[in-house]
Amino acid sequence: SDVSGHKEVYTIDFDGHNLERLTRNRSIALSPAWSPDGKRIAYTSYYEGNPDLYFMSRDGSYQVATSTFPGLNATPDWSPDGSRIALALSKDGNAEIYTFRVDGTDFRRLTRHQSSDWSPSWSPDGKRIAFGSDRTGTPEIYIMNNDGGDVRRLTQQGSYNDSPAWSPKGDLIAFASRQKGLFDIWVIGSDGSNPQRLTSNSGNNESPFWSPDGRYIVFSSNRGGRSDVYIMNSDGSNQRRLTFLGGNNYCPSWSPRDSQEAFGNSAQEEGGN
């Protein structure tokens, strides 16, 4: 949220109560992501000028830079066992998908393409990763094995598809798709079948994330003018606003064990992916 005048990471209960500010860097914080054990949050910050990747404890203490390559260190996602992070790095020129061990070692490059790749999302079994790429000319959602093999395109509709998020059961992937000029939240089978739109062109609806039990999807929307965090049932029903802070509120990430979520500002607003 930028309610403080700077883009910081906050947590809030899933019913919209108990707001807590975690970062006080007076900078730009992006893309918070909870660890599977709920004890840490990875996020990107411009605190030192470069978009570096940081870890912090769930209460905001012990903030430490973990990936500081020149260029983007962005859109982190934890492997289901908590041992590795997938992220987009632009140290090679364009953004590519890497993984590394959470101790900051063993960086492995998964994508090798002249176009950009971003926003990795691990499958619940840890065997596959969904990600965004513009390798066909327009941003689409792709799936690959966790070693970078067997890349296949998932989405076929819309002019811009981004922010994939795997459902807890692994059967569906939620994503943001721009059609007719506005972004909406869609879901699609992990095999590419049966795409369905969940929101209906009321402002831009982006950055979907599933609740741990798969019953809900949280997302950001500017349907009210400013960007706020909303929640809906996984079939798109009962959409309701969670944040009433003023400012803009983006990029929610649901914690794995309790009903608390972190949210911040999306990298896309800064002109990245």
Side-chain angles (χ1 to χ4, degrees):
S1 178
D2 64 7
V3 66
S4 70
H6 301 276
K7 297 176 181 180
E8 308 282 5
V9 179
Y10 293 74
T11 58
I12 194 171
D13 288 352
F14 84 105
D15 61 2
H17 293 93
N18 295 325
L19 179 74
E20 182 180 358
R21 180 174 169 180
L22 300 188
T23 62
R24 298 179 180 275
N25 297 329
R26 301 176 63 84
S27 181
I28 299 170
L30 310 169
S31 304
W34 288 89
S35 64
D37 62 7
K39 295 180 179 179
R40 288 184 287 180
I41 297 170
Y43 68 102
T44 295
S45 176
Y46 284 74
Y47 180 65
E48 295 289 346
N50 190 66
D52 295 328
L53 188 72
Y54 286 74
F55 288 168
M56 64 178 164
S57 301
R58 65 169 296 150
D59 62 359
S61 62
Y62 191 61
Q63 299 180 26
V64 59
T66 306
S67 177
T68 59
F69 293 104
L72 287 175
N73 301 260
T75 59
D77 192 52
W78 300 73
S79 64
D81 65 3
S83 67
R84 300 190 70 84
I85 294 281
L87 77 167
L89 297 177
S90 63
K91 68 184 185 66
D92 308 300
N94 57 296
E96 302 281 0
I97 305 299
Y98 279 75
T99 68
F100 70 95
R101 293 187 58 83
V102 296
D103 63 2
T105 64
D106 191 26
F107 278 80
R108 301 178 185 177
R109 181 173 172 177
L110 302 189
T111 60
R112 296 180 180 274
H113 203 277
Q114 61 185 4
S115 298
S116 294
D117 305 309
W118 61 86
S119 294
S121 174
W122 292 84
S123 64
D125 62 8
K127 295 180 179 180
R128 294 175 292 172
I129 294 174
F131 64 100
S133 177
D134 60 4
R135 60 185 60 192
T136 57
T138 58
E140 303 288 351
I141 306 301
Y142 290 78
I143 293 177
M144 63 182 169
N145 293 342
N146 63 10
D147 62 359
D150 192 25
V151 178
R152 60 184 179 87
R153 180 173 165 178
L154 188 70
T155 55
Q156 305 293 331
Q157 76 285 340
S159 61
Y160 198 118
N161 297 291
D162 195 10
S163 306
W166 226 297
S167 69
K169 290 184 178 179
D171 58 334
L172 296 173
I173 292 173
F175 62 101
S177 180
R178 185 174 65 197
Q179 302 187 28
K180 298 181 180 180
L182 294 172
F183 281 95
D184 276 304
I185 305 301
W186 289 65
V187 293
I188 191 171
S190 57
D191 59 358
S193 63
N194 196 27
Q196 298 181 52
R197 189 175 71 185
L198 301 186
T199 60
S200 56
N201 281 318
S202 179
N204 287 300
N205 302 280
E206 302 177 81
S207 304
F209 201 95
W210 298 80
S211 65
D213 60 8
R215 294 175 59 193
Y216 305 104
I217 295 174
V218 66
F219 62 101
S220 61
S221 176
N222 66 358
R223 63 184 64 180
R226 291 174 171 172
S227 182
D228 276 293
V229 176
Y230 288 73
I231 190 174
M232 62 182 167
N233 296 344
S234 61
D235 63 0
S237 63
N238 195 22
Q239 298 181 26
R240 54 202 185 275
R241 180 176 165 185
L242 292 185
T243 55
F244 296 86
L245 309 177
N248 293 287
N249 307 283
Y250 299 89
C251 214
S253 174
W254 207 308
S255 70
R257 290 188 175 180
D258 58 28
S259 297
Q260 193 177 56
E261 55 180 322
F263 62 94
N265 285 89
S266 67
Q268 190 174 31
E269 169 148 7
E270 298 307 311
N273 293 303

